[in-house]
Amino acid sequence: YVYNFDAPNVLVLPLERKSVTGKANYKFGNEIEVFSNFSNTVYTSVSALAPTPVSTVTVAAPDVATSLQASSTLVTPGRNVGTQLIVPTTNPFIPADLRALLNSRTGDDPNIVGSGATEPFLMRWRTLAIGLRTQNYENTVTQYMGGAKGPILGDNWRWEAYVSEGRTKIINQQSNNVDTNKLLAALAAPDGGASLCAGGVNPFGRQTLSPACQNYLRVSGALTNEFTQTIGQAFVTGDIAQLANGPISTVFGAEFRNFTYNFDPGSASGPISGFNAQNPAGGSNNFRDFFAEVTLPLARNLPFARSVDLHMAYRNSSSQSRNEITGLESTKQTSSAWAIDFSWEPTDTIRVRGSAQQSVRAPNFGELFFDSASAPQIFDPCSVTSVARTTGTNAARLATLCQNAGAFGGLGGGVTTFVQTPGTQATIFLVGNPTLKPETGNSVTLGMVWAPKISGPLEGIRASFDYYSIKVKDAILYADSNEYIADCFNYYGNNPAYNAAYGNCAALVRANDIIQVLDLTTATGNFPTLNGGKIKTQGIDTQVNWGRKLGPGRLDLAMQLSYLLAYKLQTVSIFPENDFKGTIPYFGAGLGQAFPKIKASFSARYKWYDFGFDARARYIDKMENRMALMFPGESFSGVPATTYWDLGVDYNFAKNFTLRFGVLNAFDQKPRTYSPNVQSGTDPSTYDVIGRRLMVQAQAKF
């Protein structure tokens, strides 16, 4: 209950990169040119998480346990107990006070063999003695490319073709996972596992483990991902006709893209608790595309039409994927993408631009074939600290529902005093779906560039304003545990009778806290990836630049500002469409996808002889906790507006040598904290978690 995640969790990952690149071009006398390039990059990084909370995999009866589930004969045949450990009352380490409570039991859990005082019981345990879960990554990326280009029929038409291959190998060395089956065996042993490792395994309280037991439970090993990407493209470009306003320019081409993927989980294949347990995987994905583009000069040098251009593009793509482990192939998909862009210059100081586009994204390997898990931090309405339980108009009915709702039972008599454990996460297991369709996005943009040729205070100003609207249908979005919890307890109005038999109530797995959510429409309880989601977003982007001579030097000012009008998302049709504008996410659900209404950057630079002075302010608007939208009426802490200041000075010692000093986050603005969140209470992808730091840079040109 009192475990502190913050100390061991790494917020900023150490990274080292080494790379080498090269290219070669050769022109023949007939204007044909061949070209090639090569690159090789090696990245190494390290990440760490708190010691494993076991179990992170489902514990099931031997007759139904899958390769990624732990197995126990203490579970009733055909059933499972979710992500919980099961312990018999014969365990010799059970403390006397706990044993007295166990002996007072008279009920029967249908998922566990036995009943009453001698029935095994469920618990969870954080394996502090095993140590931090660590991952050491080594990524090697190699790419080759070769091609040729040249003229056709003089200079009016040209052709180009190339083939490239990229290879990526990722070795992930994991340490301090836990073998769940071995742990269950130790807990079930009459001697507490002493016959399996010296001293046995005592999970009650903060106990130590002997080196032998640490080695008995610990699982370390390397996971290997290998990707190969082969792309070939050929196109011709030229003018198909000459109009009074200029040529009609075109591009015609074809492209193939072949991807292969192989994943070897090594020792992480099986019921391993810690980092996600995974099965071997492999697949291929092939695309065949045809595309065309045309640019039409509609007007030139007319009143209020200095120039008008229309650009149109179209691409037809067919794709098919294959799971190389099972031999299963996805359905063949054919999709089309197109774009219409226009540019209008009514005068030499104003340009208006706009576009309408349809884009597509084919599902990736993971979405098609790969099994994974998601465990976002959750809110439990049954906690006596929730608004719904304390002052809600249906507090009494909610308490009754909490008492009974759950796949394996609710809180029972403990509902009157139940307080949610801080940092609770509820697991959802996801499985790939080879019948997925591509996502389709439709976007509209409209903008203007203004560069007046005027004198006076506004001389040198340049500004741009752009509006965008994007809608994605058939979006492939993963389920969020919180939506199923909120739906059960009627936050969305779908369970007005507060019925414990309502589908999403029967899907909740409790160990007091909610620890797992099931999909009761599938035999395994796992959630298949689906095309049911929707995403809609609108916003305005503005940029203003101004510069002129001022005093003995020159002053340049710049501003970039983004205003988010909406970011609406719906994962499943039975859940509401939430507008996440002005919200910050919680751990495990979109961390790094903060949507402040306003994000802005303001910079100023003054150049005086060989000296340069500059300042930049980065602004992030205040945000509401996204959990407040998941559970309407509940209260969650948000974050205030934040500004970071960066300062710098540089000096040109010589024509080709510059020395620069700077300070980032000059006023040492601390990261904003909010709850619930287990990443030290902040979002390290949004806020600076390092603080004030100095930098020096020397630049020399030869």
Side-chain angles (χ1 to χ4, degrees), residues 582-583 595-598 619-624 639-642 687:
T583 65
F595 298 121
K597 292 180 183 178
I598 298 174
Y619 175 81
I620 304 172
D621 203 7
K622 65 181 180 180
M623 286 177 280
E624 182 183 12
V639 291
T642 304
Y687 296 110

Side-chain angles (χ1 to χ4, degrees), residues 349-474:
T349 62
I350 296 176
R351 181 162 69 94
V352 178
R353 58 195 178 193
S355 69
Q357 299 182 6
Q358 176 175 285
S359 57
V360 294
R361 183 187 75 85
N364 59 39
F365 286 126
E367 293 161 344
L368 289 167
F369 303 122
F370 205 50
D371 298 348
S372 61
S374 173
Q377 192 168 2
I378 65 158
F379 173 75
D380 193 335
C382 294
S383 176
V384 295
T385 57
S386 76
V387 172
R389 281 291 311 274
T390 54
T391 60
T393 56
N394 289 291
R397 300 175 74 190
L398 176 62
T400 301
L401 179 59
C402 294
Q403 186 175 8
N404 300 299
F408 308 130
L411 290 168
V415 70
T416 57
T417 58
F418 170 69
V419 177
Q420 178 186 356
T421 303
T424 310
Q425 296 169 250
T427 301
I428 281 180
F429 290 104
L430 307 166
V431 292
N433 179 2
T435 65
L436 286 173
K437 300 183 297 183
E439 297 179 333
T440 301
N442 292 284
S443 62
V444 175
T445 65
L446 183 64
M448 182 182 74
V449 178
W450 179 54
K453 297 177 180 179
I454 55 178
S455 58
L458 293 181
E459 181 181 354
I461 194 170
R462 180 182 177 88
S464 66
F465 309 89
D466 290 280
Y467 163 82
Y468 64 86
S469 175
I470 304 170
K471 297 180 181 179
V472 180
K473 66 178 182 178
D474 294 327

Side-chain angles (χ1 to χ4, degrees), residues 452-637:
K453 297 177 180 179
I454 55 178
S455 58
L458 293 181
E459 181 181 354
I461 194 170
R462 180 182 177 88
S464 66
F465 309 89
D466 290 280
Y467 163 82
Y468 64 86
S469 175
I470 304 170
K471 297 180 181 179
V472 180
K473 66 178 182 178
D474 294 327
I476 302 170
L477 299 173
Y478 295 119
D480 184 337
S481 303
N482 283 293
E483 289 186 301
Y484 291 87
I485 295 169
D487 187 51
C488 166
F489 296 108
N490 200 40
Y491 283 84
Y492 306 148
N494 294 332
N495 189 17
Y498 289 82
N499 182 3
Y502 175 65
N504 285 333
C505 289
L508 306 182
V509 179
R510 283 192 177 274
N512 271 347
D513 289 307
I514 300 171
I515 60 171
Q516 188 178 354
V517 179
L518 304 173
D519 184 351
L520 299 182
T521 65
T522 64
T524 61
N526 297 336
F527 288 78
T529 51
L530 300 171
N531 283 108
K534 298 178 183 178
I535 302 173
K536 301 177 185 177
T537 184
Q538 294 175 292
I540 297 173
D541 294 329
T542 302
Q543 181 171 340
V544 181
N545 297 82
W546 176 84
R548 61 177 298 176
K549 183 174 173 54
L550 187 68
R554 176 181 173 84
L555 177 65
D556 287 283
L557 303 176
M559 179 198 75
Q560 295 86 36
L561 185 147
S562 296
Y563 186 85
L564 185 64
L565 297 172
Y567 192 96
K568 298 180 180 179
L569 186 147
Q570 184 181 35
T571 56
V572 182
S573 60
I574 64 170
F575 299 150
E577 181 181 85
N578 282 316
D579 188 351
F580 291 140
K581 173 187 66 177
T583 65
I584 190 166
Y586 47 87
F587 177 78
L591 205 59
Q593 296 181 14
F595 298 121
K597 292 180 183 178
I598 298 174
K599 287 186 69 174
S601 173
F602 306 88
S603 62
R605 177 173 174 79
Y606 189 76
K607 182 71 174 177
W608 178 57
Y609 296 104
D610 289 325
F611 284 95
F613 307 89
D614 58 78
R616 180 180 65 164
R618 294 171 285 141
Y619 175 81
I620 304 172
D621 203 7
K622 65 181 180 180
M623 286 177 280
E624 182 183 12
N625 194 314
R626 192 168 300 174
M627 195 77 84
L629 274 71
M630 297 290 189
F631 297 90
E634 298 293 340
S635 178
F636 301 94
S637 60

Side-chain angles (χ1 to χ4, degrees), residues 28 117 141 183 190 296 384 391 441 509 512 539 603 607 657 682 686 693:
F28 294 92
V141 182
L183 175 57
L296 300 172
V384 295
T391 60
V509 179
N512 271 347
S603 62
K607 182 71 174 177
F657 184 77
T682 191
T686 300
R693 51 207 183 272

Side-chain angles (χ1 to χ4, degrees), residues 222-269:
L223 294 76
T224 304
N225 271 294
E226 293 184 281
F227 302 88
T228 301
Q229 169 185 277
T230 305
I231 298 177
Q233 186 183 96
F235 63 88
V236 296
T237 179
D239 302 334
I240 59 174
Q242 184 71 34
L243 303 179
N245 300 317
I248 301 177
S249 301
T250 59
V251 177
F252 301 97
E255 180 180 81
F256 73 85
R257 303 187 304 279
N258 297 335
F259 304 89
T260 60
Y261 163 62
N262 182 68
F263 173 64
D264 180 3
S267 58
S269 177

Side-chain angles (χ1 to χ4, degrees), residues 132-179:
L132 291 179
R133 290 168 285 172
T134 61
Q135 296 185 102
N136 291 268
Y137 290 96
E138 181 177 283
N139 300 3
T140 303
V141 182
T142 306
Q143 185 164 359
Y144 312 85
M145 191 270 286
K149 57 185 177 180
I152 303 175
L153 304 176
D155 290 332
N156 188 47
W157 286 83
R158 302 190 66 82
W159 62 273
E160 182 172 329
Y162 73 87
V163 175
S164 70
E165 181 173 280
R167 299 177 181 177
T168 301
K169 185 174 184 178
I170 304 172
I171 300 176
N172 174 10
Q173 186 71 45
Q174 292 185 353
S175 300
N176 297 339
N177 289 325
V178 174
D179 188 319

